[in-house]
Every structure is written in C-alpha cells, then in structure tokens.
Amino acid sequence: MIELQDGPLYKFSEWPNDQVPRLAAGVYTVWREDELLYAGMSGRAMKQEQLVATPGQARAAVGLWTRLKAHASGRRSGDQFSVYVCDRFVVPVLAPHQQAEIGHGRLSLDQLTRDYIHEHLGYRFLICRDGAEASEIERAVRAGSLKAGLPYLNPLKAKAAARID
C-alpha cells in the first residue's frame, strides 16, 4: 500500500500512461503536490480469473485504465471525481465574465475542470489481485490509513471508518 503514498506520481496531463495496465482491478490516490485529495478504485466486480489476458486476443480496456482515463478527461457526467474537482476547485474561483460565458454556452465547465486536473493533479496506483482486494484497500485509504491522512474530497466519515476491520 506504500505505492499509494510514496510511489511514482504520474501527471494527468501526461495521460495516457502505458504503466497502467489495460485490464486490472486497482486502487489509486490523487494528489495536489503533497496533499491527498482523493482515493478511488476500479474493478469492484472483477474476479482474479477475469484479469488474465489471453495472448493474441484483443480486449477492451477494463478497470483501472478506464477509471483514470475518465478522470483525466474532466467530464463531469458519470464521474464523481470530476464533479468534486469542479465544485471545490473550479467553481469557487470563476470570475463573473466566466459565469456569463458558461451561461451562454461559450465556455465549458468540463473543459475548465479538465484544465485544472491537468495543471494541478497527479495520481499513484496499486494493482490488486481482484475487485474485493481493491475495495478493501480503498476503504482503508479513505479512512486515513496513509500517513497523508484522510483524502480531502472523499474521506470516510468517522462512523463509516469505525466499521472497517
């Protein structure tokens, strides 16, 4: 789990990342410099046997790759991370003229969110044996198991954290 705190930090601006497997369950953390902002996972329903790539058989990207790709896009539809980034970091600093441009359809909140993600955020990841392991690690990180403490955008509440074994 140390990789999620001290492993290589990849910039969203450099997506796609060939270090992220196209077929994997995993956990990731998102950082703004040294600040832990978010912890997430992908592949919740994936079993270990589903994660074996068959040589010569083309497969679509599944799991961690698709989740990080969605975050890198900045599109808020269907991506809670991008919604959090927009709400907490983009919207509060919008100038009145930008608000008017958004209202007239000449400026996109998705593009502003993508720009923020690319300019300020990076991620670390950990490949897991299956979705159950990824889910367990994500819960622990959201409950504060890393030395960085609780993630700013999606911490587990104290009551929920107390239920983790």
Side-chain angles (χ1 to χ4, degrees):
M1 202 161 68
I2 194 163
E3 298 92 339
L4 296 172
Q5 170 83 42
D6 298 319
L9 182 65
Y10 300 97
K11 297 177 182 180
F12 278 106
S13 62
E14 297 173 358
W15 184 264
N17 178 354
D18 63 3
Q19 299 299 306
V20 179
R22 290 190 173 255
L23 177 62
V27 184
Y28 60 93
T29 52
V30 177
W31 301 82
R32 182 174 60 181
E33 296 181 10
D34 292 335
E35 181 183 16
L36 175 60
L37 293 183
Y38 188 86
M41 61 85 59
S42 188
R44 186 171 315 278
M46 296 175 102
K47 305 276 188 237
Q48 193 170 9
E49 56 273 12
Q50 294 172 297
L51 298 172
V52 177
T54 305
Q57 185 180 42
R59 268 188 92 165
V62 179
L64 192 58
W65 173 274
T66 55
R67 181 65 48 88
L68 290 170
K69 178 182 177 184
H71 294 347
S73 78
R75 292 192 66 229
R76 294 168 297 130
S77 179
D79 187 37
Q80 189 63 49
F81 167 75
S82 292
V83 171
Y84 288 152
V85 169
C86 184
D87 289 353
R88 301 295 287 278
F89 303 122
V90 176
V91 169
V93 298
L94 288 174
H97 76 276
Q98 289 175 304
Q99 294 174 24
E101 291 294 302
I102 291 167
H104 288 78
R106 293 188 291 258
L107 184 60
S108 162
L109 273 176
D110 284 353
Q111 184 61 49
L112 292 173
T113 301
R114 180 187 184 278
D115 291 347
Y116 186 91
I117 291 168
H118 281 232
E119 289 172 23
H120 300 284
L121 306 183
Y123 60 93
R124 294 180 167 102
F125 66 92
L126 174 67
I127 303 305
C128 298
R129 71 178 169 271
D130 58 24
E133 180 185 46
S135 184
E136 181 180 319
I137 293 171
E138 180 209 26
R139 274 194 312 275
V141 173
R142 290 182 59 207
S145 66
L146 297 181
K147 65 184 175 187
L150 295 169
Y152 177 70
L153 295 175
N154 69 335
L156 279 180
K157 306 292 184 249
K159 193 175 196 179
R163 290 194 301 257
I164 296 174
D165 296 328

